[in-house]
Amino acid sequence: MGIVPWVPIFLVICVLIQSSALGQSPGQEPFGRKARVTGMKKTLQETKTKFLLFKDKANQGCQIQLHRPDTLQECGFNTSLPLVMIIHGWSVDGKLESWVWQLAAALKSELAQPVNVGLANWISLAHSHYATAVRNARLVGQEVAALLQWLEESALFSRSNVHLIGYSLGAHVSGFAGSYIGGKHKIGRITALSQTIKCAHERSVHLFIDSLLHPDMQSTAFQCSSMDSFSQGMCLSCTKGRCNTLGYHIRQEHHSKGKRLFLVTQAQSPFRVYHYQFKIQFINQIEKPVEPTFTMSLLGTKEEKQKIPITLGEGITTNKTYSFLITLDLDIGELTLIKFKWENSAVWANVWNTVQTIIPWGTKPRYSGLILKTIRVKAGESQQRMTFCSENMEDLQLHPTQEKNFVRCEVNLKTAKS
């Protein structure tokens, strides 16, 4: 099987873990909050925010009007189902971005659980200078809170059955709604999609949509301190809540602080990849550091991946272990065999002819080169740890153009670390 071209995209996401406890504003407490909550019923007879309800995934939305119970019936609001409310962010051109309709359609698709899907359309307040839109976010949060309070009073619909999904400034709107709504009980769930991620624009939104469209291919992200540590595969642990599924089906937790979660995605949906850490110990018998090019072929119980290029980023020195991250765009199942090859080049052929020497080892002379003892692997998604040893333990040396097979083996931990 050849390599299918694909573009890995590294994401660093600052995640606000979602739970019923997160019904508070991400900013400071609004001035005069209690007074505003008290007077909200009297002042908000009409809202500048348009609240739309989607009857199906092809529907463009039916408008619900505050204090008009008949509009709930006309728009098909089902009080026995949860309400998921989409809240967009700042607008440059005064138009709703396409992801809004894509997310609404995904939430109404047959793959998702049945829910009422709504949209808080505040485009008239969001299409302005950014600083003005930021100030308007408080008013929109107040109007969202007023809608939820009215649903509680007129339709006996509990706020605990409400899930607000806010993107960019919409995340702040969701937080303000949680602050303004008042009372002992909080909004059931708030999802804040952070726009400031190191990848393509709207990637967080499309990851969220992807989790709805591909429930059997959920992306896993891992807590890590830096990109450098993550790229070495050092952060693939799921102990003590260090990893989480991203998107609609995220594991909800209560933490006072956010987490920095790292993952790799494909360029297109479905975005999921499979993360592996590889630790390889080399012994260099050549005096100078060696900087060759390697490839690995991975054979699993389901699929195989051929000729994955390996970049170590530095020359191989005497007796050193290298750790790096490899991601696959397909599920190969449980890894059973690794084929490791030193790829040849004209430059390396000349170098090799110059530096190779005959050294005594056992009863037969052998050429000096690289000795590759073991390959240790950790699968991020399954959390499985594996060790692979050379198929021929009597010949551990690796030369240019040579490919060696490594099979599953049991190695004493003390020996493996030495």
mmCIF file of all heavy atoms in Angstrom, residues 48 71 144 176 237 301 311 362:
data_model
loop_
_atom_site.group_PDB
_atom_site.id
_atom_site.type_symbol
_atom_site.label_atom_id
_atom_site.label_comp_id
_atom_site.label_asym_id
_atom_site.label_seq_id
_atom_site.Cartn_x
_atom_site.Cartn_y
_atom_site.Cartn_z
ATOM 1 N N LYS A 48 -32.834 42.803 20.137
ATOM 2 C CA LYS A 48 -32.151 43.053 18.875
ATOM 3 C C LYS A 48 -31.583 41.767 18.295
ATOM 4 O O LYS A 48 -31.263 41.687 17.118
ATOM 5 C CB LYS A 48 -31.043 44.082 19.088
ATOM 6 C CG LYS A 48 -31.564 45.466 19.450
ATOM 7 C CD LYS A 48 -30.434 46.481 19.523
ATOM 8 C CE LYS A 48 -30.982 47.864 19.851
ATOM 9 N NZ LYS A 48 -29.907 48.889 19.920
ATOM 10 N N THR A 71 -45.126 31.425 18.848
ATOM 11 C CA THR A 71 -43.987 31.211 17.941
ATOM 12 C C THR A 71 -43.235 29.929 18.293
ATOM 13 O O THR A 71 -42.623 29.319 17.414
ATOM 14 C CB THR A 71 -43.023 32.411 17.980
ATOM 15 O OG1 THR A 71 -42.512 32.581 19.307
ATOM 16 C CG2 THR A 71 -43.731 33.693 17.546
ATOM 17 N N VAL A 144 -29.964 36.682 25.584
ATOM 18 C CA VAL A 144 -29.996 35.211 25.640
ATOM 19 C C VAL A 144 -30.525 34.751 26.999
ATOM 20 O O VAL A 144 -31.363 33.841 27.084
ATOM 21 C CB VAL A 144 -28.599 34.619 25.380
ATOM 22 C CG1 VAL A 144 -28.585 33.117 25.644
ATOM 23 C CG2 VAL A 144 -28.147 34.901 23.945
ATOM 24 N N PHE A 176 -21.587 35.713 29.408
ATOM 25 C CA PHE A 176 -22.417 36.788 29.953
ATOM 26 C C PHE A 176 -23.835 36.296 30.233
ATOM 27 O O PHE A 176 -24.459 36.673 31.218
ATOM 28 C CB PHE A 176 -22.453 37.977 28.990
ATOM 29 C CG PHE A 176 -21.150 38.723 28.910
ATOM 30 C CD1 PHE A 176 -20.621 39.096 27.679
ATOM 31 C CD2 PHE A 176 -20.448 39.050 30.058
ATOM 32 C CE1 PHE A 176 -19.426 39.783 27.602
ATOM 33 C CE2 PHE A 176 -19.245 39.732 29.987
ATOM 34 C CZ PHE A 176 -18.727 40.105 28.762
ATOM 35 N N SER A 237 -0.061 10.563 27.355
ATOM 36 C CA SER A 237 -0.631 9.908 28.530
ATOM 37 C C SER A 237 -2.069 10.355 28.753
ATOM 38 O O SER A 237 -2.407 11.524 28.574
ATOM 39 C CB SER A 237 0.206 10.235 29.774
ATOM 40 O OG SER A 237 -0.432 9.734 30.939
ATOM 41 N N THR A 301 -2.802 -5.389 12.686
ATOM 42 C CA THR A 301 -3.773 -6.464 12.506
ATOM 43 C C THR A 301 -4.875 -6.085 11.514
ATOM 44 O O THR A 301 -5.588 -6.954 11.016
ATOM 45 C CB THR A 301 -4.416 -6.815 13.858
ATOM 46 O OG1 THR A 301 -4.948 -5.621 14.451
ATOM 47 C CG2 THR A 301 -3.384 -7.421 14.809
ATOM 48 N N THR A 311 12.516 11.672 10.573
ATOM 49 C CA THR A 311 13.453 12.777 10.715
ATOM 50 C C THR A 311 13.822 12.925 12.181
ATOM 51 O O THR A 311 12.952 13.189 13.018
ATOM 52 C CB THR A 311 12.840 14.085 10.197
ATOM 53 O OG1 THR A 311 12.459 13.916 8.828
ATOM 54 C CG2 THR A 311 13.848 15.221 10.295
ATOM 55 N N GLY A 362 33.334 -11.292 17.835
ATOM 56 C CA GLY A 362 33.040 -12.710 17.848
ATOM 57 C C GLY A 362 34.035 -13.458 16.977
ATOM 58 O O GLY A 362 35.221 -13.154 16.951
#
